[in-house]
Amino acid sequence: MNFSTSEENYIKAIYHLQHSTELVTTNELAAELQTKAASVTDMLKKLKAKKILNYEPYQGFTLSEEGRKVALGIVRKHRLWEYFLVQNLGFGWDEVHEIAEELEHINSPILIEKLDAYLSFPKFDPHGDPIPDINGKMEVTKQINLIDLELNREAEVSAVGSQSTELLELLRHKNIGIGTVLEVIRKFSFDNSIEIRIKNFPPFSISQQLAQTLFVNPVYGSTIVGSIS
Amino acid sequence: MNFSTSEENYIKAIYHLQHSTELVTTNELAAELQTKAASVTDMLKKLKAKKILNYEPYQGFTLSEEGRKVALGIVRKHRLWEYFLVQNLGFGWDEVHEIAEELEHINSPILIEKLDAYLSFPKFDPHGDPIPDINGKMEVTKQINLIDLELNREAEVSAVGSQSTELLELLRHKNIGIGTVLEVIRKFSFDNSIEIRIKNFPPFSISQQLAQTLFVNPVYGSTIVGSIS
DNA sequence: ATTAAAATTTAGACAAATCTAAATATTTTT
DNA sequence: AAAAATATTTAGATTTGTCTAAATTTTAAT
């Protein structure tokens, strides 16, 4: 099935809101999309008719299985284009969101597969968010500085960003390795450093540069992994 | 000023039709866009109000100076994307038109300038059509096999596609060089060979491979060159 | 368990882009 | 130069996505 740009924007917004609150409400969605509640209701009816939503009037709504697949497809396109814009065209990571908002609505599956191959199948976009693969699968892993404190505080280190001796020296000094479980205590916006604690030890802080090389899986907080096809 | 996707499609179609007939008519445009004459009239009024068209009811129409600049900007985007799709993503030249029809409506001047630079400022798209530069200027030159026999038959060789000894050997044998004036007599669709004549000599034919390396300027046939900004 | 407040939906309107059918203008034919 | 044929425009309707204002439902407060 095909969707209009407007329908796609609704589906994507619902997908993102569901990450924090399972049941999404009309007003939340209106705020997210900078539109009016009445407009949202109209679109909800349309998406329900297309079997994209589980929706009963006044009761809130969630994406259907089909809806989640559509959403993952849009997220895939958005993040692949962002990667291209930063990595190949030389944009800054903070300049690409709006352009990707347009590019994500280009409708050509073969284009996206060729782009993915051209970029060598990246797993994370320039903001550190995971890129779903063609089946909707994506890494649960994220950079530790991107952990959402509202959702998860504990995370297990699953990979490090490079094998440089400088990085490994620092990690050994801090007693961090693959498998280490960390609790994120606080983030400081001044220098993007974060304070963390390894179980049974006193807290300490790590720099932005180090945080960006630590890829972690949330210990609870099941970021759900699914499939598009 | 900004234009909707639909407005842009009308502007581009009028631009292309103007290449064959100076004054464009409502029915021609309706046929080109696969729509109805009544719909065209509606849009003509809109574009006239936006000063894109010279249009008097029942009298046909042409793009205004402003309209031509807008059209050249759209053509520029279309052809740059086609170049990217073929050269970088590995599409065949016959597979990219539809995708470029979508991509050409992405509205980000900086994106197009970065893409142009990334592609090293190509002057021709994969079909051999010239790509307008940021000011709307483009080569009048085209591959000789793309000469439109309805418009021009005589053309002057202005460049050859490579300096390989094999090519130069063939060109010397055929007596073709920079500045040679050729008359295109006929095209054969079976093998895409074309029959040409050098003034005062008997006609002979050249292969598709050779034709694609011969860049020519029409001798009469004023393909108009303009500026966007 | 009412009432008050907040959230959501319905009703009716609007702009953009399209269509069909009817009216009008232009061009061609005789 | 009038009639016939063709081209173009107008009038009125339709779809999509949006809005405001009014009505309804749910939730929270007393």
Side-chain angles (χ1 to χ4, degrees), chain A residues 40-85:
Chain A
V40 171
T41 302
D42 290 342
M43 184 59 90
L44 294 179
K45 287 191 217 157
K46 240 177 99 183
L47 292 178
K48 179 180 180 170
K50 289 193 173 187
K51 300 192 191 295
I52 294 305
L53 283 184
N54 307 119
Y55 165 57
E56 289 307 321
Y58 295 102
Q59 300 310 134
F61 44 91
T62 58
L63 289 176
S64 68
E65 195 49 38
E66 181 60 26
R68 229 186 77 264
K69 289 177 190 170
V70 175
L72 284 167
I74 301 166
V75 168
R76 170 169 165 76
K77 288 193 281 179
H78 183 100
R79 292 181 180 167
L80 279 175
W81 280 119
E82 284 200 340
Y83 187 95
F84 169 72
L85 294 173

Side-chain angles (χ1 to χ4, degrees), chain A residues 121-146:
Chain A
F121 309 101
K123 293 201 166 159
F124 296 93
D125 78 10
H127 304 98
D129 294 313
I131 301 173
D133 72 12
I134 189 173
N135 300 122
K137 293 255 187 344
M138 58 181 149
E139 300 283 336
V140 179
T141 306
K142 41 168 103 174
Q143 293 166 8
I144 195 168
N145 51 327
L146 297 174

Side-chain angles (χ1 to χ4, degrees), chain A residues 4 6 10 35-36 38-39 42-43 46 58-59:
Chain A
S4 70
S6 191
Y10 273 85
T35 184
K36 297 300 152 74
S39 309
D42 290 342
M43 184 59 90
K46 240 177 99 183
Y58 295 102
Q59 300 310 134

